[in-house]
Amino acid sequence: MFAYIVKRILGAIPTLLFLVVAAFVMMHMAPGGPFTSERKLPPEVLANIEAQYGLDQPLWKQLWDYVTGIVLHFDFGPSFRYKDRDVNDIIAQGFPISLTYGSLSFLVATLIGVSLGIAAAIRHNSWVDYFAVSLGIVAQALPNFIMGPILILTFTLWLGWLPGGGWNGGQWQYLIMPVIALSTSYMGNIARLTRSSMLEVLNSNFIRTARAKGLPARSVIWRHAMKPTLLPVISYLGPVFVYVLTGSVFVDLYFSTGGLGQSYVNSALTRDYAVLLGVTILYGALTIFVNLLTDLAYAWFDPKIRY
């Protein structure tokens, strides 16, 4: 297992390097620049600004300086649009917010989705099953960019129960609607996947054997059926965690939480290459790390797997 982990970490290095190079080249190939979107600057002023940020250097030199800065000093460079701020400061300010409600959304989607799926499979063709399936379908039909405005209209403008935006130190009133908006659609997918997996496991021969031995129904479900049921769910949960964080872009825009997604969108609109690259690399590294954890959890749930 240790050799597998080391191999995956070493394999992640060229993957991240390719991501950096590809993103860097594509961003610089796009027409325009970070200092050409507003009123046209005199050539002398534009030349001085580009020289200050190293944009007058050849592309390979800019790429080399950027990669060496990340590798040697973990420095993503200064922001082109935010004065007196570098990319590290922007990430340090916004990422904890996105991670907070993103992690809560992931937990809510996982706990409710798995619970609904198990209940629907155990009570197959009952009202519990129909309710869980219907709720999952409705949840899948309401992605976060649709749930956001609906929640604001309902709980802020009509009922006046919750604040329509802001963060305020992460108080629970400001967390409820972002977490609901971000977790709803994934909860439906998890419930559907858990239900189908549990139904398949309950019809397996080893479950029939356990029941024939007279084991209690609770023991059959929790001791024998649960682990094989969760195997496909675990494979899906790894990417879901990354999707929840990257999907926070819409939540940041609708609820003005101050998370990293808002800075990501603003940097794309203003051609702030440094911020855009920094967030892209962060999400790429996070994707590789979460996929590694997913594989390790899969091996723990299924002892037949040996890396």
Side-chain angles (χ1 to χ4, degrees), residues 53-287:
Y53 289 98
L55 299 178
D56 59 337
Q57 301 292 330
L59 186 59
W60 68 266
K61 181 66 166 54
Q62 297 181 44
L63 177 60
W64 173 261
D65 293 339
Y66 185 76
V67 173
T68 53
I70 295 175
V71 173
L72 298 179
H73 307 289
F74 200 71
D75 182 13
F76 292 101
S79 170
F80 295 156
R81 306 297 297 182
Y82 299 97
K83 296 182 179 179
D84 300 326
R85 297 187 67 189
D86 54 26
V87 181
N88 290 29
D89 295 333
I90 296 174
I91 292 178
Q93 177 183 352
F95 184 66
I97 297 176
S98 298
L99 184 63
T100 298
Y101 68 76
S103 300
L104 290 174
S105 302
F106 176 77
L107 290 176
V108 169
T110 302
L111 293 177
I112 297 180
V114 171
S115 300
L116 284 175
I118 293 175
I122 295 175
R123 305 294 182 184
H124 187 46
N125 288 333
S126 68
W127 70 268
V128 178
D129 187 15
Y130 299 144
F131 172 77
V133 171
S134 301
L135 185 61
I137 294 174
V138 173
Q140 286 182 283
L142 295 173
N144 50 26
F145 56 86
I146 294 179
M147 279 295 297
I150 292 177
L151 292 174
I152 293 175
L153 285 173
T154 303
F155 294 103
T156 301
L157 298 180
W158 292 348
L159 300 177
W161 291 353
L162 297 172
W167 183 245
N168 200 18
Q171 296 183 9
W172 66 270
Q173 301 95 324
Y174 296 85
L175 282 171
I176 293 178
M177 289 197 295
V179 169
I180 294 176
L182 201 53
S183 62
T184 303
S185 60
Y186 300 112
M187 178 190 68
N189 290 329
I190 294 172
R192 177 184 55 81
L193 184 61
T194 304
R195 175 182 178 274
S196 60
S197 179
M198 176 65 81
L199 287 175
E200 182 179 356
V201 171
L202 291 178
N203 292 323
S204 301
N205 292 330
F206 72 94
I207 296 296
R208 296 192 185 98
T209 303
R211 287 173 171 169
K213 290 181 178 180
L215 294 178
R218 183 183 299 273
S219 178
V220 172
I221 296 297
W222 294 106
R223 294 186 57 186
H224 298 278
M226 185 58 64
K227 276 191 175 182
T229 295
L230 292 179
L231 286 178
V233 180
I234 290 174
S235 300
Y236 178 71
L237 290 181
V240 163
F241 184 74
V242 180
Y243 296 156
V244 166
L245 292 182
T246 55
S248 65
V249 171
F250 298 102
V251 175
D252 288 333
L253 293 177
Y254 285 135
F255 298 102
S256 300
T257 58
L260 195 58
Q262 194 163 2
S263 300
Y264 190 67
V265 173
N266 292 336
S267 64
L269 296 176
T270 59
R271 302 291 179 83
D272 194 343
Y273 300 143
V275 176
L276 203 58
L277 280 171
V279 178
T280 301
I281 295 170
L282 175 64
Y283 283 147
L286 187 63
T287 302

